[in-house]
PDB file of all heavy atoms in Angstrom:
ATOM      1  N   SER A  25      96.094 -40.867-114.990  1.00 88.00           N
ATOM      2  CA  SER A  25      97.259 -41.648-114.564  1.00 88.00           C
ATOM      3  C   SER A  25      97.531 -41.507-113.083  1.00 88.00           C
ATOM      4  O   SER A  25      98.263 -42.309-112.506  1.00 88.00           O
ATOM      5  CB  SER A  25      98.495 -41.200-115.343  1.00 88.00           C
ATOM      6  OG  SER A  25      98.856 -39.884-114.982  1.00 88.00           O
ATOM      7  N   PHE A 100     100.481 -56.314-111.643  1.00 93.00           N
ATOM      8  CA  PHE A 100     101.884 -56.374-112.061  1.00 93.00           C
ATOM      9  C   PHE A 100     102.524 -57.683-111.619  1.00 93.00           C
ATOM     10  O   PHE A 100     103.225 -58.343-112.397  1.00 93.00           O
ATOM     11  CB  PHE A 100     102.667 -55.191-111.488  1.00 93.00           C
ATOM     12  CG  PHE A 100     104.139 -55.256-111.781  1.00 93.00           C
ATOM     13  CD1 PHE A 100     104.638 -54.759-112.974  1.00 93.00           C
ATOM     14  CD2 PHE A 100     105.023 -55.837-110.876  1.00 93.00           C
ATOM     15  CE1 PHE A 100     105.994 -54.843-113.267  1.00 93.00           C
ATOM     16  CE2 PHE A 100     106.380 -55.928-111.159  1.00 93.00           C
ATOM     17  CZ  PHE A 100     106.866 -55.426-112.361  1.00 93.00           C
ATOM     18  N   ASP A 106     104.046 -64.633-115.123  1.00 89.00           N
ATOM     19  CA  ASP A 106     103.909 -65.122-116.500  1.00 89.00           C
ATOM     20  C   ASP A 106     105.173 -64.877-117.312  1.00 89.00           C
ATOM     21  O   ASP A 106     105.495 -65.642-118.223  1.00 89.00           O
ATOM     22  CB  ASP A 106     102.721 -64.433-117.194  1.00 89.00           C
ATOM     23  CG  ASP A 106     101.384 -64.988-116.742  1.00 89.00           C
ATOM     24  OD1 ASP A 106     101.384 -65.996-116.002  1.00 89.00           O
ATOM     25  OD2 ASP A 106     100.342 -64.422-117.122  1.00 89.00           O
ATOM     26  N   LYS A 126      96.440 -52.805-123.157  1.00 92.00           N
ATOM     27  CA  LYS A 126      95.460 -53.884-123.299  1.00 92.00           C
ATOM     28  C   LYS A 126      94.159 -53.599-122.550  1.00 92.00           C
ATOM     29  O   LYS A 126      93.071 -53.719-123.129  1.00 92.00           O
ATOM     30  CB  LYS A 126      96.078 -55.210-122.842  1.00 92.00           C
ATOM     31  CG  LYS A 126      95.178 -56.423-123.092  1.00 92.00           C
ATOM     32  CD  LYS A 126      95.873 -57.704-122.658  1.00 92.00           C
ATOM     33  CE  LYS A 126      94.943 -58.911-122.843  1.00 92.00           C
ATOM     34  NZ  LYS A 126      95.596 -60.165-122.376  1.00 92.00           N
ATOM     35  N   ASN A 183      95.648 -33.727-151.190  1.00 97.00           N
ATOM     36  CA  ASN A 183      94.384 -33.272-150.598  1.00 97.00           C
ATOM     37  C   ASN A 183      94.264 -31.749-150.549  1.00 97.00           C
ATOM     38  O   ASN A 183      93.328 -31.221-149.949  1.00 97.00           O
ATOM     39  CB  ASN A 183      94.230 -33.843-149.189  1.00 97.00           C
ATOM     40  CG  ASN A 183      94.069 -35.347-149.193  1.00 97.00           C
ATOM     41  OD1 ASN A 183      93.475 -35.910-150.124  1.00 97.00           O
ATOM     42  ND2 ASN A 183      94.602 -36.014-148.179  1.00 97.00           N
ATOM     43  N   LEU A 200      90.725 -15.216-145.967  1.00 97.00           N
ATOM     44  CA  LEU A 200      90.724 -16.398-146.829  1.00 97.00           C
ATOM     45  C   LEU A 200      91.874 -16.374-147.832  1.00 97.00           C
ATOM     46  O   LEU A 200      92.552 -17.399-148.016  1.00 97.00           O
ATOM     47  CB  LEU A 200      89.383 -16.509-147.562  1.00 97.00           C
ATOM     48  CG  LEU A 200      89.266 -17.666-148.572  1.00 97.00           C
ATOM     49  CD1 LEU A 200      89.406 -19.008-147.869  1.00 97.00           C
ATOM     50  CD2 LEU A 200      87.930 -17.584-149.312  1.00 97.00           C
ATOM     51  N   PHE A 239      87.057 -31.714-143.034  1.00 98.00           N
ATOM     52  CA  PHE A 239      87.806 -32.692-143.822  1.00 98.00           C
ATOM     53  C   PHE A 239      87.566 -34.099-143.276  1.00 98.00           C
ATOM     54  O   PHE A 239      87.373 -35.056-144.035  1.00 98.00           O
ATOM     55  CB  PHE A 239      89.305 -32.358-143.774  1.00 98.00           C
ATOM     56  CG  PHE A 239      90.158 -33.239-144.644  1.00 98.00           C
ATOM     57  CD1 PHE A 239      90.579 -32.805-145.885  1.00 98.00           C
ATOM     58  CD2 PHE A 239      90.545 -34.510-144.226  1.00 98.00           C
ATOM     59  CE1 PHE A 239      91.365 -33.612-146.699  1.00 98.00           C
ATOM     60  CE2 PHE A 239      91.316 -35.325-145.018  1.00 98.00           C
ATOM     61  CZ  PHE A 239      91.733 -34.874-146.268  1.00 98.00           C
ATOM     62  N   PRO A 256      82.920 -28.623-129.129  1.00 97.00           N
ATOM     63  CA  PRO A 256      83.205 -27.205-128.866  1.00 97.00           C
ATOM     64  C   PRO A 256      84.689 -26.857-128.807  1.00 97.00           C
ATOM     65  O   PRO A 256      85.041 -25.671-128.836  1.00 97.00           O
ATOM     66  CB  PRO A 256      82.530 -26.958-127.517  1.00 97.00           C
ATOM     67  CG  PRO A 256      82.439 -28.306-126.874  1.00 97.00           C
ATOM     68  CD  PRO A 256      82.216 -29.269-128.002  1.00 97.00           C
ATOM     69  N   SER A 261      87.927 -19.216-128.815  1.00 95.00           N
ATOM     70  CA  SER A 261      88.014 -17.759-128.856  1.00 95.00           C
ATOM     71  C   SER A 261      87.283 -17.081-127.703  1.00 95.00           C
ATOM     72  O   SER A 261      87.569 -15.930-127.366  1.00 95.00           O
ATOM     73  CB  SER A 261      87.472 -17.228-130.188  1.00 95.00           C
ATOM     74  OG  SER A 261      86.104 -17.588-130.360  1.00 95.00           O
ATOM     75  N   LYS A 318     118.217 -41.804-111.920  1.00 96.00           N
ATOM     76  CA  LYS A 318     118.896 -42.350-110.735  1.00 96.00           C
ATOM     77  C   LYS A 318     118.671 -41.473-109.508  1.00 96.00           C
ATOM     78  O   LYS A 318     118.534 -41.985-108.394  1.00 96.00           O
ATOM     79  CB  LYS A 318     120.387 -42.531-111.029  1.00 96.00           C
ATOM     80  CG  LYS A 318     120.628 -43.684-111.991  1.00 96.00           C
ATOM     81  CD  LYS A 318     122.066 -43.801-112.435  1.00 96.00           C
ATOM     82  CE  LYS A 318     122.178 -44.955-113.431  1.00 96.00           C
ATOM     83  NZ  LYS A 318     123.504 -45.023-114.071  1.00 96.00           N
ATOM     84  N   TRP A 321     115.539 -42.524-107.873  1.00 97.00           N
ATOM     85  CA  TRP A 321     115.695 -43.717-107.040  1.00 97.00           C
ATOM     86  C   TRP A 321     116.269 -43.326-105.670  1.00 97.00           C
ATOM     87  O   TRP A 321     115.853 -43.865-104.636  1.00 97.00           O
ATOM     88  CB  TRP A 321     116.625 -44.722-107.723  1.00 97.00           C
ATOM     89  CG  TRP A 321     115.975 -45.559-108.779  1.00 97.00           C
ATOM     90  CD1 TRP A 321     116.181 -45.502-110.127  1.00 97.00           C
ATOM     91  CD2 TRP A 321     115.017 -46.606-108.565  1.00 97.00           C
ATOM     92  NE1 TRP A 321     115.404 -46.448-110.767  1.00 97.00           N
ATOM     93  CE2 TRP A 321     114.687 -47.140-109.834  1.00 97.00           C
ATOM     94  CE3 TRP A 321     114.414 -47.146-107.426  1.00 97.00           C
ATOM     95  CZ2 TRP A 321     113.776 -48.183-109.991  1.00 97.00           C
ATOM     96  CZ3 TRP A 321     113.501 -48.185-107.580  1.00 97.00           C
ATOM     97  CH2 TRP A 321     113.190 -48.698-108.849  1.00 97.00           C
ATOM     98  N   LYS A 331     108.700 -48.337 -99.858  1.00 95.00           N
ATOM     99  CA  LYS A 331     108.497 -48.631-101.276  1.00 95.00           C
ATOM    100  C   LYS A 331     109.818 -49.020-101.944  1.00 95.00           C
ATOM    101  O   LYS A 331     109.856 -49.876-102.834  1.00 95.00           O
ATOM    102  CB  LYS A 331     107.892 -47.419-101.989  1.00 95.00           C
ATOM    103  CG  LYS A 331     106.468 -47.097-101.561  1.00 95.00           C
ATOM    104  CD  LYS A 331     105.520 -48.236-101.881  1.00 95.00           C
ATOM    105  CE  LYS A 331     104.082 -47.852-101.545  1.00 95.00           C
ATOM    106  NZ  LYS A 331     103.150 -49.002-101.663  1.00 95.00           N
ATOM    107  N   GLU A 339     114.384 -57.577-107.546  1.00 94.00           N
ATOM    108  CA  GLU A 339     115.665 -57.813-108.210  1.00 94.00           C
ATOM    109  C   GLU A 339     116.233 -59.168-107.789  1.00 94.00           C
ATOM    110  O   GLU A 339     116.521 -59.396-106.627  1.00 94.00           O
ATOM    111  CB  GLU A 339     116.659 -56.700-107.867  1.00 94.00           C
ATOM    112  CG  GLU A 339     116.265 -55.339-108.417  1.00 94.00           C
ATOM    113  CD  GLU A 339     117.374 -54.330-108.298  1.00 94.00           C
ATOM    114  OE1 GLU A 339     118.112 -54.371-107.299  1.00 94.00           O
ATOM    115  OE2 GLU A 339     117.500 -53.492-109.196  1.00 94.00           O
TER     116      GLU A 339
END
Side-chain angles (χ1 to χ4, degrees):
S25 67
F100 175 86
D106 284 353
K126 186 178 177 182
N183 294 327
L200 177 62
F239 185 100
S261 61
K318 289 173 182 172
W321 279 110
K331 292 298 184 188
E339 294 191 324

